[in-house]
Amino acid sequence: MTVPETAFLNGRFLPLAEATVSIEDRGFQFGDGVYEVIRTYRGRPFKLDAHLARLDRSAQAIDLRQPYPFERWVEYVTEGLRLGDFPETKIYVQITRGTAPRDHAYAPDLQPTVLMTFRELQPLNAIVQSTGVAAMTMKDIRWGRCDIKSINLLANVLARQQAKKRGVFESILVRDGQVTEGAVSNVFIVQDGKLITAPEGGWILSGVTRQVVLELARHEGLTVQERYCSEQELLGATEVFLTGTTVEVLGVVHIDGKQIGTGQPGPLTRSLAKRFLDETR
Ligand code: PLP
């Protein structure tokens, strides 16, 4: 049987519309959980191992018991893809600490709530990919453990909503004058032929796509600097691009109304976007 939009809840597959959890789930009341977003290319999950490894790290970082071994996750993901049967799928994975009467502190033996959704992936518009997007800068008001892919996303939600209100694609977050990342993406700039992106640590989520792009760039012999760039450097860069599971490698051509470079995705952006696409094959 094929189910149009499939959910997985605590070991069981069911139609997404029928999947429900308790109102006392700590994910619902405290944002006490972690997540991943994975996409397929040609029907196969891209960098599943890297996503599952990050899920593991996120869970460990918040003292959350990760319920399945790697092989079991792979089996469940494979089954979800089979049931959904979409040309390409966006897989959402979430683990919360489970259900208990509301109390900030938690008992160590709670049964985590594990859910996944399998929905058809709508790829980014090809025109947007080729023309690039506009972005805005915004103060980064997030906590100091952005390396944990926590479902506590209020600051990202507000940043993304500001972008939507302004009619731009992404909010680029700036902490004490330094660019950290986007609300849903990592940020790279090109300056004097060098590729610059914020270093791993508590102020960014180290993207799986970011890692792939860094490897491709190094392989191409490009000079890569993992360091913060200032807001001035961002606005004066010859190229700026975003990376992420759903945005892939996406040129930014206007920031706060100011044109970046020639106003079109630059040569390094285009060549890395192409290399990235090759990698997904
Ligand atoms: N940074 C943030 C804040 C994100 O939410 C995401 C993706 O959702 C990324 C970076 C990119 O991560 P990835 O390439 O693993 O999708």
Side-chain angles (χ1 to χ4, degrees), residues 264-281:
Q264 290 184 338
L268 268 181
T269 303
R270 280 186 280 118
S271 107
L272 284 167
K274 185 180 173 306
R275 291 257 172 276
F276 180 76
L277 208 63
D278 293 343
E279 192 71 12
T280 64
R281 301 197 173 109

Side-chain angles (χ1 to χ4, degrees), residues 116-221:
M116 289 194 266
T117 60
F118 296 83
R119 307 182 106 133
E120 182 161 14
L121 177 101
Q122 306 297 341
L124 207 63
N125 187 315
I127 297 170
V128 170
Q129 287 277 13
S130 70
T131 58
V133 294
M136 61 183 277
T137 55
M138 222 184 127
K139 187 173 176 189
D140 191 346
I141 58 165
R142 298 173 304 159
W143 71 329
R145 289 304 306 271
C146 300
D147 55 316
I148 300 170
K149 202 162 166 69
S150 154
I151 61 171
N152 228 303
L153 287 171
L154 195 48
N156 307 61
V157 165
L158 296 177
R160 195 73 177 157
Q161 188 62 17
Q162 280 299 318
K164 190 176 172 183
K165 242 168 128 175
R166 290 248 196 117
V168 298
F169 184 84
E170 177 66 307
S171 279
I172 295 178
L173 306 176
V174 179
R175 185 183 294 273
D176 300 330
Q178 307 293 306
V179 173
T180 53
E181 62 181 334
V184 297
S185 59
N186 290 113
V187 176
F188 285 72
I189 72 164
V190 178
Q191 196 186 60
D192 304 324
K194 291 191 291 275
L195 203 56
I196 302 163
T197 194
E200 286 188 326
W203 299 125
I204 68 158
L205 178 79
S206 177
V208 169
T209 321
R210 171 188 181 277
Q211 206 53 47
V212 173
V213 167
L214 283 175
E215 277 161 29
L216 291 172
R218 290 191 171 112
H219 192 254
E220 290 288 293

Side-chain angles (χ1 to χ4, degrees), residues 93-115:
V93 185
Q94 175 179 301
I95 313 173
T96 70
R97 203 178 302 277
T99 299
R102 190 174 186 284
D103 181 359
H104 285 66
Y106 52 87
D109 56 350
L110 292 181
Q111 185 66 38
T113 305
V114 184
L115 74 82

Side-chain angles (χ1 to χ4, degrees), residues 31-96:
D32 187 357
V34 294
Y35 78 106
E36 278 298 321
V37 177
I38 306 157
R39 63 155 292 175
T40 62
Y41 286 96
R42 299 177 179 210
R44 292 171 58 186
F46 182 61
K47 300 284 172 194
L48 181 59
D49 48 352
H51 283 284
L52 290 176
R54 187 171 63 187
L55 184 68
D56 229 15
R57 282 199 304 278
S58 295
Q60 270 191 32
I62 66 160
D63 181 33
L64 177 60
R65 192 160 52 82
Q66 207 277 80
Y68 308 131
F70 177 81
E71 299 73 29
R72 181 81 71 83
W73 279 111
V74 175
E75 279 169 30
Y76 284 145
V77 166
T78 308
E79 179 62 5
L81 292 176
R82 192 188 68 75
L83 289 167
D85 197 27
F86 300 118
E88 299 294 0
T89 306
K90 188 168 170 177
I91 309 162
Y92 177 74
V93 185
Q94 175 179 301
I95 313 173
T96 70

